[in-house]
Amino acid sequence: MTRKIDQSKAILVIGGGTWGSSTALHLARRGYKNVTVLDHYYIPSAISAGNDVNKICDEDTYPDSEDDPDFVSRTLAAACAKGWLEDPLFKPYYHATGYVAAAHTPAGFKHLEKKELPASRVGFVRIETPEEFRKTMPEGVLTGDFPGWKGWQKKSGSGWVEARKALVATATEAIRLGVKYICGQPGNVQRLLFSSPDDGKTHDIVGVETADGKQHHASLVILAAGANADAFLDFKDQLRPTAWTLAHIKMTAEEAKLYKNLPVLFNVEKGFFMEPDFVNHELKFCDEHPGYCNWVDVPVTDPVTGKTQTKRRSVPFARSQIPVESEQRMRSFLRDIMPHLAERPFSFARICWCADTVDRKYLIDIHPDHPSLVLACGASGHGFKHISSIGSFVVDAIEGKLHPKLKHAMRWRPEQAVGRDWDDVQNRMGDPYAMQDFQKVKEWMPTPDHSQSSVQLDDGSIKHTGTWK
């Protein structure tokens, strides 16, 4: 049912990362006049998965009918692709260089065929030999033996996006359209504010309180805090904060020229890389694995009853280091494909966080018990590419315009999380083929200091610090 919303009333967005900034942008584009984004970190957030050099992106078209079994995923993907291909804000950051997908074990081949490739294989070319892999890129880029590798290449309809630049552009445009960003301690949300019984809106959300003690009141609060979302609300085990690892290698200007306009290369069991960034000539790559959690016992207080109990949570944290075991996996990946770079020192490394739902479908809904609270979370490791469009679906949810199939798929669904297996790898591959725990990491790889860009957004002003990567 369509809801009529007063566009002049205050709306708060908790989180200025990928989904929070996308939501703020689309609210402003639809005419909402009083939108404020609150974030502990300056944009781009130190723990946002979107604060990255680049991300994989592929294109899709809208499904022909509602009977399509992939109606939800294709509808989301098609809207995302339309944004990257047609929206002037996002179009400059998409590079349609193609895609090489591979595996190297029987289990990996099966996963590749069932989970990573479309059934039709239209536009895909089979790759069977090391020489065929090397020929997907200019001579001198891929020099490895690709032991046991087999895969497919798609030369169009996919590629990569400049993630950090797109995230900053989104926030910048939202501000231009009137959105206010409050970052740092003044934007550090500590808790949700609940109405009192005297308000006649028992247990509804009326705003938030920040670290400076200030209370921000609003008619609508949108929780888009990514991996930190479950710190503000009992999600009934629907979210699992999960982290992955990445690193960079510094290249010369001449090397960077050779590596320009490359297809993405992704082994579902080993890792992936994309071409170096344009400014600092740094090559980013990741080791592929099911993910890390950070399991700790924390006190959790029910905001309604006031009762406190200890609960085991995966708690996100920012760190510009990676475990030594992750470094070893990355170097193994490089030895397979680019042994000439495999022993080069890392110039940068970090962990980045997301939040997994049980079925890895998004959670975009109005909370059933708190009608003034909108949930926009559960990106499940594949949410950044949707920055161009995901905010429009959040606004559709607010206005009661979501397609019924999308509404059902992205609903509040705690029944799925009853007895949840926290160690479920959720169809992800890669050594050690199991979930990992940062609390059990024995050794972290030291990395040199590497300045990251920041954009400080306070009261609508923007100040650039550092250099873009």
Side-chain angles (χ1 to χ4, degrees):
M1 181 182 296
T2 302
R3 294 201 309 168
K4 186 169 178 59
I5 308 294
D6 186 341
Q7 295 188 328
S8 67
K9 288 190 174 181
I11 297 177
L12 293 175
V13 181
I14 305 175
T18 302
W19 283 23
S21 289
S22 179
T23 298
L25 172 67
H26 284 278
L27 283 167
R29 282 181 167 181
R30 290 205 199 175
Y32 289 84
K33 305 297 185 186
N34 193 356
V35 180
T36 300
V37 177
L38 300 164
D39 199 299
H40 183 192
Y41 293 93
Y42 292 101
I43 309 300
S45 166
I47 66 170
S48 171
N51 182 6
D52 200 354
V53 175
N54 43 34
K55 296 285 188 184
I56 298 172
C57 187
D58 53 6
E59 301 169 24
D60 205 340
T61 56
Y62 286 99
D64 294 328
S65 76
E66 294 184 5
D67 295 329
D68 188 321
D70 298 319
F71 178 86
V72 171
S73 60
R74 288 193 62 194
T75 298
L76 293 170
C80 152
K82 184 176 181 180
W84 292 111
L85 292 169
E86 299 178 14
D87 191 324
L89 179 64
F90 296 101
K91 190 174 181 179
Y93 304 115
Y94 175 50
H95 303 267
T97 57
Y99 183 77
V100 176
H104 64 279
T105 70
F109 299 142
K110 184 177 180 180
H111 177 88
L112 180 66
E113 298 279 343
K114 291 184 66 176
K115 300 294 183 181
E116 300 294 334
L117 299 173
S120 68
R121 303 291 193 273
V122 173
F124 284 81
V125 177
R126 183 77 175 174
I127 305 174
E128 298 276 359
T129 68
E131 183 180 8
E132 289 173 343
F133 274 103
R134 290 191 288 266
K135 285 183 176 180
T136 63
M137 300 187 190
E139 184 176 357
V141 173
L142 300 178
T143 57
D145 292 331
F146 294 86
W149 285 45
K150 296 182 186 300
W152 300 81
Q153 181 178 16
K154 185 182 183 185
K155 294 185 178 181
S156 62
S158 60
W160 59 278
V161 296
E162 298 176 67
R164 184 179 299 117
K165 290 182 179 180
L167 173 56
V168 172
T170 303
T172 303
E173 177 65 4
I175 289 174
R176 189 188 72 81
L177 294 174
V179 174
K180 180 181 180 180
Y181 274 67
I182 301 176
C183 299
Q185 283 299 95
N188 183 4
V189 176
Q190 298 296 293
R191 65 185 182 97
L192 300 172
L193 297 176
F194 289 79
S195 60
S196 67
D198 295 337
D199 294 335
K201 297 170 58 181
T202 305
H203 306 327
D204 200 3
I205 305 298
V206 296
V208 304
E209 183 174 282
T210 47
D212 56 2
K214 184 175 179 179
Q215 293 191 347
H216 303 257
H217 291 87
S219 63
L220 204 63
V221 175
I222 301 171
L223 182 53
N228 277 318
D230 76 336
F232 299 102
L233 180 75
D234 182 2
F235 274 85
K236 309 296 183 184
D237 294 338
Q238 291 177 86
L239 300 183
R240 181 186 68 184
T242 307
W244 290 271
T245 40
L246 65 89
H248 298 175
I249 282 177
K250 190 76 172 179
M251 308 190 81
T252 67
E254 286 303 310
E255 286 175 325
K257 289 179 182 178
L258 177 63
Y259 280 62
K260 190 171 176 58
N261 296 323
L262 301 183
V264 175
L265 187 148
F266 177 33
N267 182 309
V268 298
E269 304 173 90
K270 279 274 191 172
F272 61 88
F273 88 95
M274 285 160 273
E275 67 183 69
D277 73 281
F278 303 137
V279 178
N280 290 330
H281 309 316
E282 293 200 349
L283 181 73
K284 170 202 154 181
F285 43 89
C286 300
D287 53 327
E288 187 67 13
H289 53 78
Y292 284 91
C293 289
N294 180 44
W295 293 113
V296 296
D297 291 329
V298 296
V300 177
T301 301
D302 187 305
V304 176
T305 66
K307 293 182 179 179
T308 299
Q309 61 179 354
T310 299
K311 185 173 182 178
R312 183 171 175 257
R313 282 188 63 234
S314 177
V315 180
F317 61 96
R319 188 161 185 169
S320 291
Q321 287 177 292
I322 58 174
V324 167
E325 63 199 22
S326 178
E327 177 201 6
Q328 292 169 346
R329 290 191 294 261
M330 291 178 184
R331 294 197 185 280
S332 174
F333 170 60
L334 291 174
R335 290 185 193 105
D336 278 6
I337 63 170
M338 297 182 290
H340 58 289
L341 298 179
E343 307 309 319
R344 193 173 293 191
F346 291 177
S347 57
F348 176 70
R350 71 174 285 230
I351 58 176
C352 62
W353 290 88
C354 199
D356 286 328
T357 61
V358 175
D359 57 5
R360 292 185 65 190
K361 294 179 181 177
Y362 302 151
L363 177 48
I364 299 175
D365 200 1
I366 296 172
H367 195 286
D369 299 326
H370 313 302
S372 297
L373 178 64
V374 180
L375 308 171
C377 46
S380 301
H382 55 104
F384 179 82
K385 70 178 184 179
H386 293 277
I387 190 173
S388 65
S389 57
I390 198 67
S392 67
F393 293 103
V394 178
V395 183
D396 281 349
I398 293 170
E399 297 177 345
K401 297 177 180 178
L402 266 184
H403 187 284
K405 285 200 169 186
L406 271 67
K407 181 176 175 59
H408 177 77
M410 301 190 293
R411 72 192 186 282
W412 173 263
R413 48 193 189 278
E415 71 280 358
Q416 290 187 354
V418 176
R420 181 171 186 173
D421 178 6
W422 296 107
D423 294 322
D424 182 8
V425 300
Q426 298 195 279
N427 286 315
R428 295 186 178 109
M429 301 290 287
D431 188 45
Y433 298 90
M435 291 299 299
Q436 300 159 92
D437 185 355
F438 282 128
Q439 294 293 319
K440 297 179 180 179
V441 170
K442 296 180 179 179
E443 186 177 2
W444 290 78
M445 175 191 173
T447 56
D449 290 336
H450 190 103
S451 68
Q452 291 197 70
S453 308
S454 265
V455 175
Q456 300 184 1
L457 302 171
D458 264 321
D459 300 323
S461 64
I462 302 178
K463 183 166 62 177
H464 298 266
T465 63
T467 56
W468 298 118
K469 296 203 308 262

